[in-house]
Amino acid sequence: MTEKERELLNLLENKGRMPSESIAKMLDISLEEVNTMIDTLEKQKVILGYSGIIDWSKVNINETVTAMIDVKVTPKRGVGFDEVAERIYRFKEVKALYLMSGTYDLSVVIEGKSMSEIARFVSDKLSTLESVLSTTTHFQLKKYKHDGVVFEDREDDHRIVVSP
């Protein structure tokens, strides 16, 4: 991978909706080179997609509950954690899945319409999998920062300081 490709990936990761013309100027290369690099990196599955970061708390519809579930599993001989991870990430509720070090093996991020829906997912789908030994569910109460983006609008205090 070239240095320009790494620079391009950093730009796209931080500001995914940048016009190709802007990227070309920032990298000091031609528009054609930018488009060729992007096409190549997409075909190589280095660039997997583009997404926006939305503060859903500011939208009255689509209120969802997000949970992070710690999962302890028994790895299978020859495939390790991969087989159980694949079974878990195929559930439509699963937004992210990570193999972790520490006291649990997998970290599953899911979204649902309610805490009850998430509880049903854990009891009916996740904990019934053969390799799953235990789960611990943590509900997200508030999002402060995600993917480097701060969610809280903090207005500066414009009051005059009064001191004796």
Side-chain angles (χ1 to χ4, degrees):
M1 175 158 298
T2 68
E3 182 63 32
K4 289 292 182 191
E5 287 173 324
R6 279 194 292 277
E7 288 178 43
L8 170 71
L9 292 173
N10 281 323
L11 287 172
L12 291 176
E13 185 176 45
N14 293 319
K15 296 188 184 264
R17 279 191 62 147
M18 289 183 73
S20 296
E21 294 82 7
S22 298
I23 294 171
K25 287 178 186 174
M26 294 174 85
L27 297 179
D28 195 29
I29 58 176
S30 71
L31 179 60
E32 184 179 297
E33 288 176 287
V34 168
N35 291 331
T36 301
M37 277 197 299
I38 289 174
D39 288 342
T40 301
L41 293 167
E42 287 174 346
K43 286 177 185 166
Q44 293 174 346
K45 303 274 189 227
V46 174
I47 298 173
L48 299 174
Y50 303 88
S51 63
I53 300 172
I54 311 299
D55 187 351
W56 288 107
S57 69
K58 294 184 178 174
V59 180
N60 292 334
I61 58 171
N62 295 339
E63 283 286 330
T64 59
V65 177
T66 302
M68 285 99 176
I69 306 168
D70 302 337
V71 184
K72 187 82 172 155
V73 299
T74 302
K76 291 201 174 180
R77 183 172 299 204
V79 293
F81 296 100
D82 294 345
E83 186 177 291
V84 69
E86 183 177 349
R87 290 196 62 198
I88 293 170
Y89 71 62
R90 290 187 179 275
F91 291 119
K92 66 177 176 48
E93 298 90 345
V94 175
K95 300 300 174 198
L97 175 63
Y98 308 97
L99 178 62
M100 305 297 289
S101 64
T103 57
Y104 58 93
D105 302 307
L106 299 172
S107 179
V108 183
V109 179
I110 70 166
E111 286 183 356
K113 293 180 180 154
S114 66
M115 292 173 78
S116 299
E117 186 177 297
I118 290 173
R120 279 191 302 278
F121 170 82
V122 173
S123 64
D124 297 347
K125 295 180 179 179
L126 187 59
S127 63
T128 59
L129 294 176
E130 182 182 314
S131 296
V132 173
L133 300 173
S134 66
T135 64
T136 303
T137 303
H138 309 274
F139 289 97
Q140 178 182 303
L141 302 177
K142 184 176 181 179
K143 189 181 292 189
Y144 292 100
K145 186 175 183 178
H146 181 79
D147 283 345
V149 177
V150 177
F151 277 68
E152 191 169 298
D153 286 337
R154 294 194 58 188
E155 293 185 24
D156 292 333
D157 190 351
H158 296 290
R159 295 178 290 175
I160 298 173
V161 176
V162 178
S163 59

